[in-house]
């Protein structure tokens, strides 16, 4: 009888790894004058919890994200925010720092980074100059943050 292969989530260390990834990421976001205003809560803790749950589920961990929030609907949840190439690049800069902090095996680092880059590019919803905060450029605030 063969054991089932480990998921990516398990291979890279499970919950603790994703918590570290998200914590390091939000350390950068907290200091970013473009990204920080996009988060409606002053405390980034709720956003960090949502991102952790999402990434864990995506990579084969617990399905807590869907159980609590339903389908991820990433594009829809980001529509209220002014996500232009500058915001994308800032997001990627902070996420790059976070991925590097994990010191993953190269094969895992490449897989994770490839996904994060593709996701960041997919979230761009305007090419207008950087706005500030939710509902920038007349977008409605639908309360649908990640």
């Amino acid at each position: 009888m063969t054991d089932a292969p480990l998921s990516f989530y398990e291979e890279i260390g499970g919950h603790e790894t994703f918590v570290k990834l998200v914590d390091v990421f939000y350390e950068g976001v907290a200091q970013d004058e473009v990204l920080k205003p996009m988060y409606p809560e002053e405390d980034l803790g709720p956003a960090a919890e949502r991102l952790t749950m999402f990434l864990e589920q995506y990579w084969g961990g617990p399905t807590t994200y869907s159980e609590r929030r339903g389908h991820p609907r990433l594009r829809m949840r980001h529509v209220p925010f002014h996500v232009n190439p500058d915001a994308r690049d800032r997001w990627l800069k902070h996420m790059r720092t976070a991925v590097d902090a994990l010191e993953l095996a190269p094969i895992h680092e490449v897989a994770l980074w490839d996904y994060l880059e593709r996701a960041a590019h997919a979230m761009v919803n305007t090419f207008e100059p950087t706005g500030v905060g939710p509902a920038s450029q007349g977008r409605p605030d639908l309360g649908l943050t990640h």
Side-chain angles (χ1 to χ4, degrees):
M1 192 164 159
T2 313
D3 291 330
L6 295 177
S7 67
F8 183 89
Y9 171 82
E10 294 166 322
E11 287 178 0
I12 68 167
H15 180 72
E16 292 76 21
T17 299
F18 285 95
V19 167
K20 181 176 181 179
L21 174 73
V22 171
D23 285 350
V24 172
F25 169 72
Y26 277 112
E27 287 172 11
V29 169
Q31 306 305 313
D32 192 296
E33 70 272 5
V34 171
L35 297 182
K36 175 63 171 83
M38 292 187 193
Y39 293 85
E41 302 107 346
E42 183 58 33
D43 173 14
L44 292 172
E49 180 182 15
R50 291 187 298 268
L51 181 56
T52 300
M53 289 187 306
F54 170 77
L55 291 172
E56 287 179 325
Q57 178 172 306
Y58 181 86
W59 291 102
T63 58
T64 312
Y65 185 91
S66 289
E67 291 164 9
R68 291 187 188 171
R69 299 183 52 84
H71 190 280
R73 301 176 307 220
L74 290 181
R75 288 270 309 164
M76 186 194 82
R77 291 183 193 274
H78 288 83
V79 164
F81 303 100
H82 191 88
V83 183
N84 65 4
D86 178 45
R88 175 204 59 213
D89 292 347
R90 288 167 178 267
W91 190 94
L92 284 168
K93 178 184 123 187
H94 300 305
M95 194 54 82
R96 181 75 253 174
T97 298
V99 169
D100 289 346
L102 298 178
E103 299 179 348
L104 297 173
I107 193 167
H108 294 126
E109 184 273 325
V110 167
L112 179 60
W113 185 246
D114 177 64
Y115 168 76
L116 294 168
E117 273 192 312
R118 286 183 290 113
H121 283 270
M123 294 304 108
V124 171
N125 58 26
T126 185
F127 289 90
E128 294 296 321
T130 297
V132 177
S136 180
Q137 301 293 322
R139 287 181 170 76
D141 183 358
L142 303 175
L144 300 173
T145 58
H146 191 282

